Amino acid sequence: MPAHSYALFSALFPPHMGGVEKFTANVARLLLERGNSVTVVTNDSEGLGAGERDEGGVNVVRLPCHPLVSGRMPLPRPCSERSELLRALSSQRFDGVLVNARFYPHSITGLRFARAQGLRPVLLDHGSAYLSFGSPALDLAVRRYEDVMTALGRRYEPAYYGISERSAAWLGHFGIRACGVIPNAIDAAAYRAQACGRDFRAELGISQDALLVAFVGRLIPEKGVRQLLDAARDPRLMGRDVAFVLAGDGPLAPEVGKARSELLRWAGALDAPDVASLLLQADALCLPTRSEGFSTVLLEAAACGCSPIVTDVGGAREVVAGPEFGRIIASMSADEVVRAVMELDDDRSLVSLRSRNCRERAELFSWDRTVDALERALLTS
């Protein structure tokens, strides 16, 4: 008999990749290893086929959906198959229900399911600001959408938690008092060990002595991609032995491709072993993002000894506990990025100091601690 039975509702799940997806997959794996029964309820956003299947011991239920915004915003597709899957799920008994994020229609499905089971759901928020798409008109509509979805979710009286201290504080914007933090995590040693050994400096023509500043993520405006492009063209960096390497794909990919220059390289979309290799070779990770809950790549970089240059969002201050760990910049402007890069280039001793400290700090964010916190929340809410 399993110790407990848990249902994890996540609008997105691998093979769709992102921070929430990685979090859900890792939490499910460890809960299973602890002898629990785990069901992940998600959407068929990748077209694998709706239905229920065993994926490495985890029962994964993929519901029919309309995968809008390149699959990032799956909307429920009402149909008999969806109803039958939810009906079969309702026939099982669970000891706890986790719902990831406030604003997906899928989140409301999870909250409603928990209440039907007689459980108080745990809602884990992964943001620290409103979503943004770089358009004032669209962003206003998105804010109103988030407000409405959050109000709908509050009717189910879930126990709210944040993925970081900043995320928990952000809930206060909606008049919600968080019960605590269930932080993002990483297996630092395992993450480093998966590196494929690719030599990005050699491939991209970057000298071993150059200050390599990496960006890893979706190439979208809210991640500060355009600010990075502007920084790489800044006259103050010309003549310095500095290189920016952007890894990822997204709507701004054509713009990034055209902007490649003496200081800027684009590595394209990379898989996890490639990203680990890049971060092990990089001196700094630059993440001038507008909003994060607790960026997974921030922890991945720290595990590799790649110190962050990051805006004050999400879990930034949990990783960058002081200037000896990295640099928190005041805004996502290109000027802030340039000044942080020049600071490192002017004092290369900071690179080794921050690298060592980040590696040590990454060890604090273990999956065991996170799942301990999650199970306490699920069983006591």
Side-chain angles (χ1 to χ4, degrees):
M1 291 291 291
H4 295 288
S5 183
Y6 298 119
L8 314 180
F9 279 75
S10 183
L12 299 169
F13 191 69
H16 194 282
M17 291 311 298
V20 177
E21 296 91 314
K22 290 180 182 178
F23 179 88
T24 307
N26 280 299
V27 162
R29 173 186 55 78
L30 188 51
L31 285 171
L32 187 69
E33 289 175 3
R34 292 184 173 191
N36 300 293
S37 171
V38 183
T39 296
V40 171
V41 187
T42 187
N43 292 285
D44 184 31
S45 58
E46 300 299 290
L48 299 180
E52 182 176 356
R53 59 181 63 85
D54 181 286
E55 297 187 16
V58 175
N59 184 41
V60 179
V61 179
R62 298 183 188 272
L63 301 175
C65 71
H66 300 289
L68 304 184
V69 195
S70 301
R72 294 171 63 197
M73 181 56 73
L75 296 182
R77 180 163 63 84
C79 59
S80 58
E81 185 177 21
R82 178 184 175 85
S83 299
E84 289 170 8
L85 286 168
L86 288 173
R87 190 178 303 115
L89 191 66
S90 297
S91 67
Q92 304 172 46
R93 299 305 304 168
F94 294 92
D95 300 305
V97 174
L98 170 69
V99 176
N100 278 313
R102 289 171 291 104
F103 49 78
Y104 291 107
H106 188 77
S107 303
I108 303 300
T109 300
L111 295 172
R112 186 181 297 123
F113 175 83
R115 278 309 186 191
Q117 291 259 320
L119 298 169
R120 187 186 186 195
V122 170
L123 194 152
L124 181 60
D125 200 38
H126 291 255
S128 60
Y130 283 112
L131 293 172
S132 173
F133 292 90
S135 163
L138 181 57
D139 286 352
L140 179 60
V142 168
R143 289 185 179 195
R144 289 178 177 170
Y145 165 80
E146 277 200 56
D147 289 340
V148 169
M149 294 301 291
T150 303
L152 288 174
R154 292 187 70 177
R155 296 179 180 179
Y156 297 91
E157 300 180 335
Y160 285 94
Y161 287 79
I163 195 75
S164 65
E165 294 288 351
R166 182 58 65 88
S167 185
W170 169 240
L171 288 168
H173 173 81
F174 303 97
I176 296 169
R177 184 174 181 179
C179 298
V181 173
I182 301 173
N184 203 354
I186 190 169
D187 184 336
Y191 184 78
R192 290 191 295 269
Q194 72 170 328
C196 66
R198 243 177 109 176
D199 188 343
F200 283 94
R201 288 181 181 264
E203 284 184 28
L204 300 174
I206 300 169
S207 73
Q208 294 300 316
D209 295 329
L211 184 76
L212 198 165
V213 180
F215 167 89
V216 178
R218 280 184 55 78
L219 302 181
I220 51 179
E222 56 264 39
K223 295 289 186 181
V225 172
R226 289 196 174 104
Q227 286 80 357
L228 283 168
L229 300 185
D230 288 341
R233 292 189 286 256
D234 193 287
R236 289 170 291 178
L237 293 181
M238 296 304 165
R240 289 177 178 261
D241 200 5
V242 171
F244 290 86
V245 175
L246 276 63
D249 203 355
L252 296 183
E255 197 170 325
V256 172
K258 291 178 183 178
R260 278 182 285 188
S261 65
E262 178 185 345
L263 299 187
L264 181 70
R265 313 288 198 280
W266 179 32
L270 302 179
D271 60 18
D274 285 336
V275 170
S277 291
L278 174 61
L279 293 175
L280 283 167
Q281 294 166 57
D283 298 301
L285 170 81
C286 192
L287 196 64
T289 178
R290 179 184 173 276
S291 173
E292 297 284 342
F294 196 150
S295 171
T296 297
V297 75
L298 194 64
L299 287 173
E300 292 171 348
C304 292
C306 178
S307 70
I309 297 171
V310 61
T311 40
D312 193 5
V313 297
R317 290 194 180 273
E318 276 113 304
V319 176
V320 186
E324 67 274 22
F325 294 92
R327 172 80 176 270
I328 292 180
I329 54 180
S331 73
M332 59 192 297
S333 71
D335 179 66
E336 288 283 343
V337 171
V338 170
R339 288 196 284 139
V341 171
M342 288 195 301
E343 176 192 40
L344 271 181
D345 190 41
D346 288 340
D347 184 1
R348 293 296 185 97
S349 67
L350 277 175
V351 174
S352 56
L353 172 67
R354 290 175 175 177
S355 176
R356 182 172 59 254
N357 289 339
C358 281
R359 275 198 182 225
E360 292 176 359
R361 190 151 186 84
E363 300 295 336
L364 300 177
F365 298 94
S366 71
W367 284 111
D368 276 317
R369 290 185 181 184
T370 291
V371 173
D372 284 345
L374 176 59
E375 286 209 87
R376 282 195 300 270
L378 288 170
L379 297 174
T380 60
S381 295

